Amino acid sequence: QRRTTEYDEQCTVMAWAVWAVKQQPELHNLFHPANGEFRHIATAVRLKKLGVKKGVPDLFLDVPRGGYHGLRLEMKVHPNTVTPAQKDWLQRLAQQGYFVAVCYDATSAIRTIQDYLRLPSVSSGTRPAD
């Protein structure tokens, strides 16, 4: 039996989001920042110059809820754990007002997203840039 991977679990979360976006339009704002993954050294160097950083969480949901600026999820599968760089990012994001979580499967990630979206909405006095 093939062991499930973080990739598999994250793909399941994103497939659910595509399906659920009609009921929860905020899911349009759920994305993966394309950090990580193995790349050719030339591509890795280029991306680093563009600002890719080690340890950035796997999923972003840029929707303010319950006093938080947004949600940041790190996907893991057992027995993997967060790296020091990932832990540092999660701590700094939490200190800056983001809801952060580490999820070990798609089910817990989806539940975390749903629970987060049930928090009270935050109205913003800002408008998009022209």
Side-chain angles (χ1 to χ4, degrees):
Q1 178 177 336
R2 182 166 103 41
R3 185 177 156 222
T4 187
T5 65
E6 291 172 20
Y7 173 85
D8 297 330
E9 296 296 323
Q10 188 167 319
C11 286
T12 299
V13 172
M14 294 309 295
W16 163 80
V18 168
W19 172 82
V21 75
K22 287 183 180 175
Q23 293 81 30
Q24 294 179 289
E26 301 90 346
L27 292 172
H28 280 294
N29 291 15
L30 180 65
F31 68 96
H32 172 66
N35 251 26
E37 302 276 329
F38 176 79
R39 293 183 170 90
H40 185 276
I41 188 67
T43 302
V45 168
R46 183 173 177 271
L47 290 173
K48 188 170 183 175
K49 287 179 182 179
L50 287 171
V52 168
K53 295 186 178 184
K54 190 176 188 177
V56 171
D58 293 312
L59 292 173
F60 289 30
L61 179 58
D62 286 339
V63 175
R65 285 288 190 276
Y68 296 102
H69 300 304
L71 172 66
R72 299 295 184 260
L73 292 180
E74 179 61 37
M75 295 297 299
K76 291 291 176 192
V77 292
H78 289 292
N80 298 350
T81 59
V82 293
T83 67
Q86 290 167 334
K87 187 174 184 178
D88 184 53
W89 266 102
L90 293 172
Q91 288 174 340
R92 285 184 291 135
L93 287 165
Q95 290 169 351
Q96 293 300 317
Y98 288 87
F99 188 99
V100 300
V102 178
C103 297
Y104 284 86
D105 57 36
T107 301
S108 66
I110 291 166
R111 186 172 38 248
T112 299
I113 292 166
Q114 290 173 323
D115 289 347
Y116 178 78
L117 288 174
R118 279 194 278 275
L119 293 173
S121 292
V122 177
S123 61
S124 173
T126 61
R127 67 190 242 307
D130 294 328

